[in-house]
Amino acid sequence: MSADILAGGEAARPHDRVARSKSLQSLRAAAVGNLLEWFDWTLYGTFAVYLAANFFEKTDSASALLSTLAVFAVGFVARPIGGIIFGRFGDRIGRKNTLIVTMSTMAAASLMIALIPSYASIGIWASALLLIARLLQGLAHGGESGVSYAYVAEIAPAERRGLWASSVFISVTLGVMAATLLGIVLTSLFSPADMMAYGWRLGFAFGGILGLFALYMRRAAHESPVYDADEATPAVVAPMNGRDKLQILLKVVFFSAGSNVAYYTWVTFAPSFAISARGMDARGAFIASLLAQLVVLCLLPLFGHLADKVGRKPMVFIYGLGLILAPIPVAAILTNEPWTLFLSQGIGLAVWAIIASIYPTLIAEQIPTQQRALGVGFLSSLSVAIFGGTAPYLNAWLSSIGLSWVFSLYIMVLGALAVIAAIMIRETSGVPLSQIRSGR
């Protein structure tokens, strides 16, 4: 996306051009930091086989328990907590400062994983230290997601907020792809024995060091003008009552649930499912998945721009309708041929991209400035933990007992909730965030 497109392509006054230049600089800093945050987060899954071999003893029940907690629970459980902790920081000390802290925490956790001695050297302490590192990653990731959503929405021009918001999941997708590509590069450079011994550590060290670059960019970023204005002249508004909070909760859950299930089913878990359940060649599955993700990179800014033209409500409605219609053909198309994964995952990702392109701004537009970082961080992370974290297991379990259609029905029901959300939300396209004071 060029600066002219992001800025709206208009001939602005000198003061406006300076302000827009600062916003674009901040957008780049947020996008690079978000990319590296997801790169570090994804590395854990990419190198899970090496972590299990180095930090856990299969015959030790205590270590096995820690392994289960670390891999399946801690990261997701910590994310809502991180959303609360860093969300409060974001509302009190500013979005920029909080994003510097979350990036520092994620980078430190990655370096920690790279340096932890093996189980053979320090025993169960290796498992415990990995658990702590993953906990720190989960806290940082939960805080990063929520505060960065609010930050990008607040620095964006009102008429381009959908397009600017699409940069968030563009950077997310690039971060996930970069972690996958790093795994391919390292496994190509090192023998299996060297990879098991130390090669995987280079991946985490690389991620941690890259975090220093993101920190440099974020220190040069500017605080959200919406946050600064609200701090300088706080508006006198009535506090939200229980009904207001319930409406915000329902709207966010209704349009977030399907998005999270779709992401972890059709992005994160799709290649593994194709390999294990359909017998697809692993190399072919990963290539097909990467190609499908390249396609979605093109769709995200397109849908974000479209949301600025037609509004949020139609986009949420189309996304909900897509969730209702897509699951059955997506499941039916997939066989053991890689091209079927590209096609089925491409369809699923196209539906997900409709909401992902505007998700940061959509959720930010539901919550007033004074509680935005906290509300966005907690609600988005909670939705990921409940719906995203359980989706791969639920899909695999239902497929193993011959009830894969139940999972398709589950996604369709979540699609119906998204349609309801489209009816419930106000149209906020083009409305300055400073004017959005209530969830009603």
Side-chain angles (χ1 to χ4, degrees), residues 162-393:
L163 177 60
W164 281 45
S166 68
S167 69
V168 172
F169 278 97
I170 289 174
S171 60
V172 166
T173 304
L174 288 173
V176 173
M177 292 174 68
T180 304
L181 287 173
L182 180 63
I184 295 173
V185 169
L186 289 178
T187 52
S188 300
L189 292 176
F190 295 103
S191 67
D194 288 340
M195 193 66 194
M196 184 65 71
Y198 62 87
W200 64 270
R201 293 184 184 272
L202 297 179
F204 286 99
F206 182 65
I209 293 171
L210 283 179
L212 298 177
F213 173 67
L215 286 175
Y216 171 76
M217 292 194 66
R218 285 192 168 176
R219 286 180 63 86
H222 303 274
E223 184 53 83
S224 152
V226 174
Y227 175 84
D228 274 345
D230 195 77
E231 284 291 291
T233 56
V236 179
V237 293
M240 290 188 293
N241 56 37
R243 181 180 178 183
D244 292 335
K245 294 178 180 178
L246 179 61
Q247 285 187 348
I248 292 175
L249 174 64
L250 290 177
K251 286 186 289 187
V252 171
V253 169
F254 282 6
F255 66 68
S256 297
S259 172
N260 285 301
V261 170
Y263 181 81
Y264 283 93
T265 302
W266 293 333
V267 180
T268 304
F269 187 65
S272 297
F273 181 80
I275 294 168
S276 61
R278 297 290 189 267
M280 189 175 295
D281 171 68
R283 181 174 179 273
F286 286 123
I287 292 175
S289 182
L290 282 174
L291 290 175
Q293 291 178 60
L294 284 174
V295 172
V296 85
L297 284 176
C298 301
L299 293 178
L300 285 167
L302 175 64
F303 289 150
H305 178 67
L306 186 61
D308 288 324
K309 297 298 182 183
V310 305
R312 317 294 190 236
K313 291 173 71 72
M315 297 297 287
V316 177
F317 181 83
I318 294 171
Y319 145 73
L321 189 62
L323 284 181
I324 294 173
L325 297 177
I328 292 179
V330 164
I333 290 171
L334 189 62
T335 66
N336 64 345
E337 294 292 331
W339 70 266
T340 65
L341 175 62
F342 170 76
L343 184 58
S344 64
Q345 189 176 15
I347 294 172
L349 283 177
V351 174
W352 169 79
I354 297 172
I355 190 70
S357 64
I358 59 170
Y359 184 81
T361 193
L362 182 62
I363 189 172
E365 288 168 352
Q366 309 308 313
I367 304 171
T369 300
Q370 300 90 341
Q371 298 89 31
R372 183 169 293 128
L374 172 60
V376 171
F378 175 68
L379 291 178
S380 60
S381 296
L382 184 66
S383 179
V384 169
I386 294 175
F387 296 99
T390 59
Y393 177 83

